[in-house]
Amino acid sequence: MSDTTTAENAIEPRLITETGLDQRIADIIEPVIVPMGYQLVRVRMSGQNGLTLQIMAERTDGTMTVEDCEEISKAISPVLDVEDPVDKAYHLEVSSPGIDRPMVRKSDFFRWQGHLLKCETSVLVDSRKRFRGKIVSVDDDGFRLERDQVAYGEEPVVVIPFTTLSEARLILTDDLIRDALTADKKAKAARAANENFEDEDSPIEE
């Protein structure tokens, strides 16, 4: 698993974005949460529990707590009320991407290199649109996927350009759970250390 810098993540656009109403909502909330230190992962309006607006987001270091979800919810609710993109009553649900997360930025692929992925492309790549396998390498243009099931006549490794992706998600495994928990623990420890440093650096009140 490779680390990426917070600065890179903060300005990094998503490879996979929404369409229609979901896109309109994303355009409304993204300018609100980015200055708060969060990045949008996905917006999806679903028919779950009547009508549910699902917002996936995370901090730029990849962490997300219940308190973070509450903070985002409080910040975007009044903006959504004003803009009123949905003409029906709905339930707002803010969550982290989860361990078997959607992969929406290039940094996601760099970070989770070596793990299993399932993805779909918008055009045929090597005569297919759906793939499943391990991310073996990543560059600025795409990634190499080692298939976990190779059909007759297929190469075991396929190169998938980022520009062809329509959907991608990590597959839950014991290795992924272990690495995700380790990464989360390190990121939270680094943030706590940074906050302590800032407290020590602040002027002493007399």
Side-chain angles (χ1 to χ4, degrees), residues 25-85:
I25 294 170
D27 290 342
I28 292 170
I29 67 174
E30 199 159 20
V32 177
I33 68 172
V34 168
M36 297 168 61
Y38 301 101
Q39 54 187 10
L40 184 63
V41 177
R42 190 179 74 188
V43 172
R44 179 170 291 175
M45 182 65 77
S46 76
Q48 183 180 344
N49 298 327
L51 199 61
T52 300
L53 174 56
Q54 299 171 323
I55 309 293
M56 274 189 190
E58 63 187 346
R59 287 184 176 269
T60 52
D61 61 7
T63 63
M64 192 69 171
T65 65
V66 173
E67 290 75 21
D68 291 330
C69 293
E70 292 173 350
E71 184 177 12
I72 288 177
S73 183
K74 289 177 182 177
I76 66 176
S77 289
V79 180
L80 289 170
D81 287 343
V82 171
E83 296 292 338
D84 198 22

Side-chain angles (χ1 to χ4, degrees), residues 8 11 44 46 64 73 76 106 138 148-149 156 187 202-203:
E8 287 172 343
I11 58 174
R44 179 170 291 175
S46 76
M64 192 69 171
S73 183
I76 66 176
K106 290 182 182 180
V138 187
D148 59 359
Q149 293 181 338
S202 59

Side-chain angles (χ1 to χ4, degrees), residues 111-130:
R111 178 176 288 163
W112 299 109
Q113 190 171 318
H115 287 283
L116 288 175
L117 169 87
K118 57 182 177 182
C119 65
E120 190 167 336
T121 57
S122 56
V123 297
L124 290 174
V125 176
D126 197 21
S127 303
R128 274 177 175 257
K129 282 191 174 183
R130 292 183 179 179

Side-chain angles (χ1 to χ4, degrees), residues 1 16 41-42 58 97-105 107-120 131-136 138 143 145 167-173 175-177 179-181 183:
M1 186 175 67
I16 301 170
V41 177
R42 190 179 74 188
E58 63 187 346
I99 294 177
D100 54 341
R101 56 169 300 136
M103 306 279 275
V104 298
R105 291 178 169 86
S107 59
D108 294 337
F109 291 84
F110 280 104
R111 178 176 288 163
W112 299 109
Q113 190 171 318
H115 287 283
L116 288 175
L117 169 87
K118 57 182 177 182
C119 65
E120 190 167 336
F131 301 87
R132 176 187 164 112
K134 183 171 71 175
I135 307 168
V136 290
V138 187
F143 60 98
L145 194 76
E167 190 172 352
R169 178 182 285 274
L170 288 174
I171 296 171
L172 198 62
T173 63
D175 286 345
L176 177 60
I177 293 171
D179 284 358
L181 292 176

